[in-house]
Amino acid sequence: LEKEAEEDEEIYDKLACWCETNDREKTKSIADAEAKIEMLTLKIEELTAVSARLNTEIKNHEKEVAENQAALDKATAIREKQLAEFNAEEKDLLESISALKSAVTVLSKHNSFIQMPMTHIQTVAMTMQRTMNKHSGMLAGVLTRSERKLVTSFIQSPQDYFDAEPTFKQSYAPQSGEIFGILSQMKETFEANLAASQKEEAENQRAYEDLKAAKEAE
């Protein structure tokens, strides 16, 4: 019996030792797992915060891109409109300048209207009429009242400046110089306006290119 009791006690001690060891190992495993869970929980929270921040940044970036594109589209539309207006104005001014140059050339070859063929005088009159009608606003502050009156008279009755009577011719001869001066003044005005328009167009193009580069860089 004593031997059996000793064997039972030995078995008990072994079981107790195993249970104690196993309990310590389980406790450690549980503690390790809880620590890992806590670490992973913190990591998840950290990554969730980063994800939220990145999503906000992406949305803000997409908004900025859309705004920049909208601004660029608007600027492009304005630039296209400016260019179309400039091209039309430039074409119109070049045609008017060319016509006025021809009229000035015709008059410069003669001392007065009395030495010119009637057809040439009529051509000059038509040139002045078209120019006055087309560019009345541009010429508003250029020609004086007396000059406008003379131009109107010449346009309405160019034949009065080409008469066979010597006394009549002589009385109107000085006015050919006035008409020549007005034509030259009109031509110079259009040339100045053309130069200013071309300068403005170049500045508008540079401004658009700078804006486009800036928006694309953003």
Side-chain angles (χ1 to χ4, degrees):
L1 289 173
E2 289 179 0
K3 185 178 180 180
E4 289 178 1
E6 289 175 358
E7 289 175 354
D8 288 341
E9 187 176 352
E10 185 180 352
I11 291 170
Y12 174 80
D13 290 339
K14 288 180 179 179
L15 287 172
C17 180
W18 179 84
C19 288
E20 186 178 347
T21 301
N22 191 48
D23 185 59
R24 282 199 302 269
E25 289 177 354
K26 284 184 178 180
T27 301
K28 184 176 182 305
S29 296
I30 291 170
D32 291 344
E34 288 176 346
K36 190 171 184 180
I37 289 170
E38 184 178 355
M39 182 185 68
L40 291 174
T41 300
L42 291 174
K43 191 66 176 177
I44 289 170
E45 290 175 354
E46 179 185 345
L47 292 176
T48 300
V50 170
S51 177
R53 177 176 59 81
L54 291 176
N55 284 332
T56 301
E57 289 178 359
I58 289 171
K59 288 180 180 178
N60 290 337
H61 180 66
E62 289 175 343
K63 182 181 178 183
E64 288 177 5
V65 169
E67 289 174 349
N68 287 335
Q69 186 60 50
L72 183 57
D73 290 344
K74 183 178 179 180
T76 300
I78 293 173
R79 177 83 277 268
E80 289 174 350
K81 182 181 178 183
Q82 288 175 337
L83 182 59
E85 290 174 350
F86 166 74
N87 287 335
E89 182 183 11
E90 183 183 48
K91 180 176 180 292
D92 192 29
L93 285 173
L94 286 172
E95 289 175 351
S96 296
I97 290 169
S98 177
L100 289 169
K101 278 182 178 179
S102 297
V104 168
T105 300
V106 168
L107 285 181
S108 66
K109 293 179 180 180
H110 304 278
N111 294 327
S112 69
F113 287 137
I114 60 176
Q115 299 174 341
M116 291 175 59
M118 184 59 187
T119 54
H120 288 186
I121 295 178
Q122 290 174 333
T123 299
V124 172
M126 285 189 293
T127 297
M128 295 191 81
Q129 183 177 25
R130 282 196 299 267
T131 304
M132 293 291 290
N133 291 340
K134 188 181 292 185
H135 301 287
S136 58
M138 190 182 298
L139 296 170
V142 176
L143 302 180
T144 64
R145 185 176 179 180
S146 61
E147 287 174 334
R148 285 181 174 276
K149 186 176 179 181
L150 176 60
V151 170
T152 300
S153 174
F154 175 63
I155 290 172
Q156 290 176 347
S157 304
Q159 68 276 2
D160 291 347
Y161 291 74
F162 186 80
D163 195 275
E165 295 295 328
T167 54
F168 192 84
K169 294 175 189 176
Q170 290 167 5
S171 68
Y172 274 86
Q175 292 187 340
S176 64
E178 293 182 54
I179 295 295
F180 179 85
I182 292 171
L183 282 169
S184 298
Q185 188 178 6
M186 291 167 67
K187 181 177 75 69
E188 290 168 3
T189 298
F190 292 157
E191 288 172 341
N193 275 274
L194 176 61
S197 181
Q198 290 172 334
K199 181 181 178 182
E200 183 181 0
E201 164 58 21
E203 291 173 351
N204 287 338
Q205 181 61 27
R206 280 196 297 271
Y208 171 72
E209 289 174 354
D210 290 343
L211 175 64
K212 183 179 180 181
K215 292 300 180 183
E216 289 177 346
E218 292 176 4

